[in-house]
Amino acid sequence: MTAAQFVGVSQVFGDFTAVDAIDLSIPEGKLTTLLGPSGCGKTTSLRMLAGYLAPTSGQILISGRDATRTPPEKRNLGMVFQSYALFPHMSVAENVAYGLKVRRVGGAERKRRVMESLELVGLAHLADSKPKKLSGGQQQRVALARAITIGPELLLLDEPLSNLDARLRIQMRAEIRRIQAETQLSVVLVTHDQDEALEMSDEMVLMKDGRIQQHGSPHEVFPAPANRFVAEFLGYENFLHDGGGRLLTIRPEHVGLTADAEAAGAGAPSAGVQIAGTVRDVAYRGVDVLVSVEGDDPAGDRVAVTADLRAGSAPDLSPGDPVRVHLPESQLVEIDSDAA
Ligand SMILES: Nc1ncnc2c1ncn2[C@@H]1O[C@H](COP(=O)(O)OP(=O)(O)OP(=O)(O)O)[C@@H](O)[C@H]1O
Ligand SMILES: [Mg+2]
């Protein structure tokens, strides 16, 4: 079952196409992320789904029904934005109750649902506090409870963690996962952080310039990026051509490296690509060492290859040293040269 669907949806501002004829199904009961660089059309897509922005063309279906012209308040969606804007003069419980009040859910039922949502986000004990007494993470949980308490068909989260400090952000990733799993809500989360998307998504949708580049589970997308844009966005830094005109990529962690004298030695992996080259830069990072090497790929083009080696087992190298990089066959990924 699909919770929502974009059918050929575009958004054009003047002569600028922010979202370009996207087709996308959001599955029911799962967490789907829209991932991509700044300006790629994530928020615009979410605003169209929420009903704050009418598509220039195309259709939006929610639970199988055409909702293209349905106003936001009739879509029964919960939303949390980057700036979660709680009402400062209301208590936590009153903030969470707000959506229910608007929907004329009264008395005991309202109280029960507010407490249920606050328990879900672990804040029942702060029901009577004012928002300004809460930490950023707690405020974000209140915003989540407020969005969830109405029993939305879809929960839309636009960079909900970006105002939190790094540690809290990582805690809240797991927290949102847990809440999604417990409620079985259909969630669409917008982020430009690939780690966040990889960790949180059932499905991830990569966008660039208003178009979808790839869509699949993290297990599908990460090891098999569809094109160079997706590969680069997910941290594949090395690109080379084989002798047959194929474009290959490999992650720095999968690149092996030996000092040149050892090149013919035992233990060097034979299947794959080997490039003889010269060390250009060595960056020590504590746990690991980044070594960038310049050499010729099998097609004869000059390429830079970065190897990310464990600090303990990396050879002692300096710029100018001759080395050989080993790109094991099993880790080389063939990709399309250009993004769609
Ligand atoms: N109301 C508007 N009028 C004109 N251009 C707009 C409008 N809203 C968005 N845009 C443009 O559309 C493009 C997509 O914007 P959008 O906010 O969807 O990006 P985003 O992927 O959410 O980026 P970010 O990660 O920075 O939030 C941007 O180039 C933006 O400048
Ligand atoms: Mg945005």
Side-chain angles (χ1 to χ4, degrees):
M1 262 302 278
T2 52
Q5 221 174 328
F6 292 81
V7 185
V9 171
S10 293
Q11 184 62 240
V12 181
F13 298 115
D15 58 4
F16 176 75
T17 303
V19 173
D20 194 359
I22 60 169
D23 292 303
L24 174 64
S25 288
I26 308 288
E28 204 170 34
K30 295 197 166 158
L31 194 152
T32 302
T33 53
L34 303 184
L35 172 67
S38 187
C40 72
K42 306 180 296 292
T43 295
T44 303
S45 300
L46 208 66
R47 290 180 66 212
M48 291 193 285
L49 184 52
Y52 295 115
L53 194 60
T56 310
S57 57
Q59 259 188 322
I60 289 180
L61 312 184
I62 295 175
S63 300
R65 295 181 306 273
D66 186 349
T68 315
R69 310 259 161 261
T70 309
E73 66 276 11
K74 297 243 168 76
R75 293 192 187 198
N76 196 32
L77 310 179
M79 287 209 70
V80 179
F81 300 97
Q82 184 177 341
S83 55
Y84 22 91
L86 301 175
F87 303 114
H89 56 286
M90 294 185 190
S91 70
V92 163
E94 285 163 349
N95 265 281
V96 175
Y98 182 79
L100 295 174
K101 238 176 173 167
V102 171
R103 287 170 174 74
R104 301 188 187 286
V105 177
E109 162 79 358
R110 189 163 81 215
K111 205 163 176 189
R112 185 184 64 72
R113 283 169 64 175
V114 166
M115 285 319 285
E116 202 176 85
S117 306
L118 282 175
E119 261 155 38
L120 184 70
V121 300
L123 287 183
H125 61 294
L126 295 175
D128 297 324
S129 303
K130 287 277 163 50
K132 70 167 184 296
K133 296 210 169 150
L134 307 185
S135 70
Q138 289 171 331
Q139 291 188 36
Q140 190 58 304
R141 284 167 206 248
V142 177
L144 263 177
R146 185 173 63 182
I148 288 168
T149 195
I150 61 164
E153 274 175 76
L154 261 172
L155 179 62
L156 309 182
L157 310 174
D158 193 351
E159 310 245 10
L161 308 182
S162 58
N163 274 350
L164 306 177
D165 68 48
R167 235 187 58 212
L168 199 52
R169 200 154 61 219
I170 288 170
Q171 275 176 22
M172 283 299 289
R173 289 179 190 170
E175 190 66 10
I176 290 176
R177 284 289 315 158
R178 178 188 64 76
I179 291 167
Q180 192 279 326
E182 276 182 33
T183 57
Q184 287 294 297
L185 276 167
S186 310
V187 178
V188 183
L189 176 122
V190 162
T191 179
H192 59 259
D193 182 327
Q194 64 275 29
D195 292 329
E196 195 167 294
L198 286 166
E199 183 178 330
M200 297 180 71
S201 307
D202 292 306
E203 296 195 5
M204 54 200 279
V205 179
L206 277 111
M207 295 181 68
K208 180 197 176 207
D209 297 339
R211 294 188 186 169
I212 293 171
Q213 303 293 313
Q214 194 167 4
H215 178 190
S217 74
H219 293 282
E220 288 162 348
V221 174
F222 188 75
N227 57 44
R228 182 161 182 155
F229 165 78
V230 175
E232 283 181 355
F233 200 76
L234 296 179
Y236 288 75
E237 288 175 33
N238 302 313
F239 298 90
L240 61 146
H241 285 94
D242 70 0
R246 299 187 309 158
L247 179 62
L248 303 174
T249 184
I250 187 165
R251 303 184 65 80
E253 309 91 88
H254 294 143
V255 174
L257 187 149
T258 47
D260 204 27
E262 302 165 32
S270 50
V273 173
Q274 290 199 18
I275 296 175
T278 306
V279 173
R280 286 290 168 234
D281 189 49
V282 179
Y284 177 69
R285 303 199 303 181
V287 176
D288 58 347
V289 184
L290 294 182
V291 182
S292 54
V293 174
E294 202 177 275
D296 291 337
D297 70 9
D301 294 326
R302 206 83 186 135
V303 289
V305 176
T306 299
D308 184 346
L309 307 170
R310 303 287 298 180
S313 53
D316 192 13
L317 293 167
S318 309
D321 287 351
V323 288
R324 189 168 290 265
V325 291
H326 306 270
L327 316 178
E329 183 68 42
S330 60
Q331 304 293 355
L332 282 165
V333 179
E334 182 184 353
I335 52 170
D336 289 341
S337 55
D338 249 318

